Amino acid sequence: MIKINGQAIAMLWLREMKRTWRAKSRIIGSIMMPLFFLVFLGSGFRRATLPNMPEGVDYISYLIPGSIGMMLLFSSIFGGLQVLWDKEFGFLKEIMVTPVSRLSIVLGRMAGGSTVALAQSLLILFLSALFGFKIQSANGFFTAFLFMILIAFTFIGLGLAFASKMKDMHGFQLVINFVVFPLFFLSGALYPVKGLPSILKPLVYMDPLTYGIDGLRFGLLGVSTYSPVLDFAILTGICVIVVTVGSILFETSDVGQ
Amino acid sequence: MGIIEVQKLVKHFKTITAVDGISFTVETGERFGLLGPNGAGKTTTMRMLTTLLKPTSGSAIVAGYDIKANRDGVRSSIGMVFQEPALDRQLTGRENLDFHGRMYGMKKSLRQERIKEVLDLVELFDRADDLVQTYSGGMQRRLEIARGLMHSPKVLFLDEPTLGLDTQTRRRIWDYIVKLKETRNTTLVLTTHYMDEADHLCDRVGIIDQGKIVALDTPQKLKNLIGADVVTLETNCNECEIFHRLDFVKDMVRHGNKISLMVENGERKIPELMTFSHDNQIEITSVELHKPSLEDVFLQFTGTTIRDREAGESDKKKHFRTRGRR
């Protein structure tokens, strides 16, 4: 019997919002990296056309969904890994000793983390629009938003899975270097992955962000490499699996000493 | 039947047996202490009773719920004050308490009322709206005690409540704990490796060493087990055996120019001893009174002092801690 405790989820979400609001500089800082990619890569390669890039799309427009995907990837993994901070500062014990089901704790963490990640990505989209990027249609926007939610949930789940298996913060940099960056570069956020050597292709197809970014491109630019329905189906499947695994690992992890 | 019934609780961490078949009972409203050196198994026992760790074997009932079968039942009946700070430093004191209240499903009006009440108890009302990261160590501990009481638990667990605090702050924390007993009759279970703390705060003390309870009774009775007070006289007497004539002197040991007399209520016997010495022309140059402490009790039951045990076990302790963190 698993109870879902709405009040606790709301409280965990509220805590995340308060903490985020009080660490505004960190949030602004984390928006800067995707923004720099967008501005510098975008303007540097402005006139470049890469092989396999869709017809009639300039590089900077091509890069906008990629930057949003990057923002979501980093922010969501970070949101899942927040559990490590709670472990480090002891607060996880306070949460774990309360009569709130582990599932509610996971859901509260998802709600808080995804809100932050989505807000940051929407901010990037808004800034792009300010500099002349035109969103195709309201439907396109909502499609893109749907994919944003799926990406956020998937990577919070992944972060949570890693955080549950890690004792302390030492593994954090490893996750960033050996998980987050490969996921990012293989996803087609910066360039069409068709040009990658075929030995890397299986990794591209295993990367959930590949489908996320393809779906975002379909929503925001109206072009995609794969069928958007296929993107949606695969990403949803991966999301459900990752979140389930993350929750199970979190539930069974000992809070320990 | 007590509010806590522990039956042969065991916890193994891979090769280490941290808790080795502990059994005890705590009565409702009692202040129960687990006294022992670091690494003796106090914290591990407490973590099992608060459902943070699963026992390897054995069982325990806390507030009517089984710690293995009904973890949520246990969790909703207990409060816990952790050894290391477990506060969200980026929230204010009030927000930490509010968070706690909501996790326990308390209604808003009740939360507000309780927040005021517990903050008053620990005298933190003025600082309630400051971020916890601006609090001193002592204030953080007080806030944690307040938080432990927030949801009016039947049993409050305190793990080393005054570890690392200065003497003044320790005294204040003791005062709050004593006040708790007087005003709410909450059952308290605390661990400590300070003898004076166990003596001052606990109705009953279990002395725990290497995962086992080696003695369990009221502090007074434990001290009585050690026996009488010792009055040591520095003197030049030749025929000191004369002190045996006093019938309250149970025993006498001579070492150099000092004699140690075992007596009951030593402080009341010193004047008599002085008069007796004077009457018998024995010159006394100094007097010393030693009353048995829990330290002596610990020494008696484990053959070592807490300090020695901790020094000797410090390597093992480090090892133990890194394991425990998993």
Side-chain angles (χ1 to χ4, degrees):
Chain A
M1 185 187 67
I2 298 165
K3 282 172 290 179
I4 292 183
N5 180 336
Q7 194 187 16
I9 296 173
M11 188 63 230
L12 286 161
W13 178 83
L14 186 65
R15 166 177 178 245
E16 200 70 35
M17 294 306 107
K18 282 184 172 166
R19 285 172 61 93
T20 305
W21 187 248
R22 278 165 204 173
K24 284 189 282 290
S25 58
R26 202 192 68 211
I27 301 306
I28 300 299
S30 65
I31 294 178
M32 291 324 284
M33 185 155 66
L35 220 50
F36 283 155
F37 265 84
L38 188 57
V39 171
F40 294 123
L41 276 184
S43 47
F45 288 110
R46 193 162 28 121
R47 304 209 182 279
T49 40
L50 301 174
N52 304 315
M53 242 175 72
E55 291 272 327
V57 175
D58 59 354
Y59 185 66
I60 196 153
S61 302
Y62 184 80
L63 207 53
I64 286 169
S67 310
I68 290 171
M70 179 186 189
M71 183 76 252
L72 286 166
L73 169 69
F74 278 79
S75 187
S76 304
I77 290 250
F78 193 77
L81 288 172
Q82 280 282 330
V83 172
L84 278 183
W85 267 261
D86 283 347
K87 256 186 203 172
E88 195 80 358
F89 291 104
F91 197 70
L92 190 63
K93 282 180 293 188
E94 148 72 2
I95 299 175
M96 294 302 229
V97 84
T98 60
V100 171
S101 70
R102 300 295 183 254
L103 181 65
S104 307
I105 296 172
V106 170
L107 291 176
R109 168 70 56 197
M110 305 276 281
S114 58
T115 307
V116 175
L118 289 171
Q120 288 174 315
S121 336
L122 287 176
L123 191 60
I124 290 188
L125 187 57
F126 174 74
L127 289 174
S128 319
L130 219 59
F131 289 101
F133 177 70
K134 286 203 175 52
I135 299 167
Q136 310 280 317
S137 64
N139 273 345
F141 173 77
F142 286 117
T143 310
F145 192 67
L146 187 65
F147 275 97
M148 286 160 75
I149 294 174
L150 283 174
I151 299 171
F153 279 8
T154 305
F155 291 112
I156 293 173
L158 191 63
L160 202 62
F162 280 113
S164 306
K165 280 285 140 198
M166 281 152 57
K167 276 192 306 199
D168 48 36
M169 315 269 296
H170 298 304
F172 181 73
Q173 204 57 42
L174 284 178
V175 172
I176 297 295
N177 287 336
F178 288 97
V179 178
V180 177
F181 274 106
L183 283 174
F184 173 57
F185 286 121
L186 288 170
S187 69
L190 300 178
Y191 45 78
V193 280
K194 271 193 184 150
L196 284 174
S198 54
I199 193 165
L200 289 175
K201 285 281 164 63
L203 292 174
V204 170
Y205 294 129
M206 278 157 58
D207 182 352
L209 196 59
T210 303
Y211 310 102
I213 285 184
D214 201 49
L216 285 177
R217 283 212 175 101
F218 174 77
L220 295 175
L221 307 174
V223 292
S224 65
T225 313
Y226 318 106
S227 142
V229 178
L230 187 70
D231 285 332
F232 179 78
I234 295 178
L235 189 57
T236 308
I238 296 178
C239 180
V240 169
I241 293 169
V242 171
V243 169
T244 310
V245 170
S247 309
I248 291 171
L249 289 178
F250 179 73
E251 258 187 82
T252 50
S253 72
D254 252 341
V255 193
Q257 184 97 346
Chain B
M1 192 173 145
I3 192 159
I4 298 177
E5 300 266 353
V6 181
Q7 279 292 329
K8 297 189 182 128
L9 213 53
V10 175
K11 180 71 189 178
H12 295 300
F13 290 113
K14 290 195 179 152
T15 55
I16 293 176
T17 303
V19 174
D20 191 4
I22 277 182
S23 302
F24 60 89
T25 302
V26 180
E27 301 300 329
T28 307
E30 194 177 22
R31 287 177 302 190
F32 184 84
L34 285 172
L35 173 71
N38 294 332
K42 303 177 305 249
T43 299
T44 307
T45 305
M46 194 167 265
R47 272 167 206 271
M48 287 191 282
L49 295 182
T50 54
T51 74
L52 286 174
L53 276 179
K54 290 182 186 126
T56 308
S57 68
S59 67
I61 307 287
V62 175
Y65 300 103
D66 189 294
I67 59 162
K68 282 193 278 193
N70 197 340
R71 288 148 76 97
D72 281 345
V74 174
R75 286 181 187 136
S76 56
S77 324
I78 60 167
M80 173 86 198
V81 177
F82 297 98
Q83 191 176 123
E84 303 104 13
L87 296 160
D88 188 331
R89 294 160 53 84
Q90 267 139 297
L91 297 182
T92 66
R94 188 189 302 280
E95 285 167 347
N96 266 286
L97 295 178
D98 194 57
F99 177 91
H100 188 81
R102 290 207 219 191
M103 295 297 270
Y104 282 82
M106 292 165 68
K107 294 239 160 21
K108 190 174 186 192
S109 55
L110 180 63
R111 287 202 305 268
Q112 285 170 340
E113 180 192 316
R114 296 284 302 156
I115 286 175
K116 188 181 177 324
E117 201 180 321
V118 293
L119 283 175
D120 275 343
L121 176 80
V122 298
E123 299 168 69
L124 273 178
F125 203 77
D126 299 341
R127 296 292 302 272
D129 295 310
D130 294 343
L131 291 184
V132 170
Q133 59 190 0
T134 66
Y135 285 21
S136 69
M139 289 167 68
Q140 292 190 15
R141 198 63 58 88
R142 275 148 64 197
L143 182 64
E144 293 204 47
I145 292 178
R147 185 176 66 184
L149 292 168
M150 180 70 194
H151 57 287
S152 312
K154 292 192 185 124
V155 186
L156 181 63
F157 289 89
L158 299 137
D159 193 6
E160 299 273 5
T162 65
L163 188 73
L165 299 180
D166 60 75
T167 321
Q168 251 183 324
T169 316
R170 282 184 74 197
R171 282 274 161 198
R172 274 177 95 175
I173 302 258
W174 287 4
D175 289 345
Y176 303 135
I177 293 175
V178 170
K179 231 191 311 183
L180 272 183
K181 162 81 174 173
E182 286 161 0
T183 57
R184 297 162 180 273
N185 207 31
T186 309
T187 307
L188 295 179
V189 177
L190 63 95
T191 69
T192 183
H193 67 281
Y194 296 120
M195 302 289 170
D196 51 345
E197 186 161 288
D199 202 355
H200 185 83
L201 291 178
C202 300
D203 299 322
R204 275 192 315 143
V205 175
I207 294 182
I208 182 167
D209 186 42
Q210 299 186 324
K212 290 190 166 113
I213 290 190
V214 292
L216 199 167
D217 216 322
T218 65
Q220 193 52 52
K221 281 194 184 150
L222 285 173
K223 286 186 282 188
N224 288 347
L225 288 176
I226 294 298
D229 299 356
V230 180
V231 178
T232 304
L233 304 174
E234 195 176 344
T235 170
N236 61 351
C237 69
N238 294 318
E239 311 241 326
C240 290
E241 281 65 35
I242 196 167
F243 282 106
H244 273 305
R245 273 199 238 152
L246 293 165
D247 49 6
F248 61 80
V249 174
K250 291 181 184 164
D251 201 1
M252 194 182 95
V253 181
R254 178 147 197 185
H255 36 99
N257 58 346
K258 287 182 180 172
I259 51 168
S260 293
L261 308 170
M262 318 297 160
V263 298
E264 297 281 1
N265 294 324
E267 66 279 5
R268 299 191 171 276
K269 300 299 174 355
I270 288 174
E272 270 183 71
L273 286 168
M274 292 300 103
T275 320
F276 180 78
S277 309
H278 184 75
D279 292 348
N280 292 283
Q281 278 94 43
I282 297 169
E283 198 190 326
I284 307 285
T285 45
S286 80
V287 183
E288 212 180 293
L289 172 66
H290 179 76
K291 299 185 85 63
S293 68
L294 283 177
E295 184 88 44
D296 300 310
V297 181
F298 189 82
L299 184 67
Q300 170 90 13
F301 281 101
T302 65
T304 176
T305 62
I306 276 205
R307 200 164 305 169
D308 286 348
R309 176 72 88 213
E310 285 188 355
E313 302 253 321
S314 64
D315 292 340
K316 194 171 157 193
K317 185 185 101 198
K318 261 185 229 151
H319 186 56
F320 181 77
R321 290 201 123 200
T322 45
R323 276 174 180 272
R325 270 186 197 279
R326 273 174 201 172

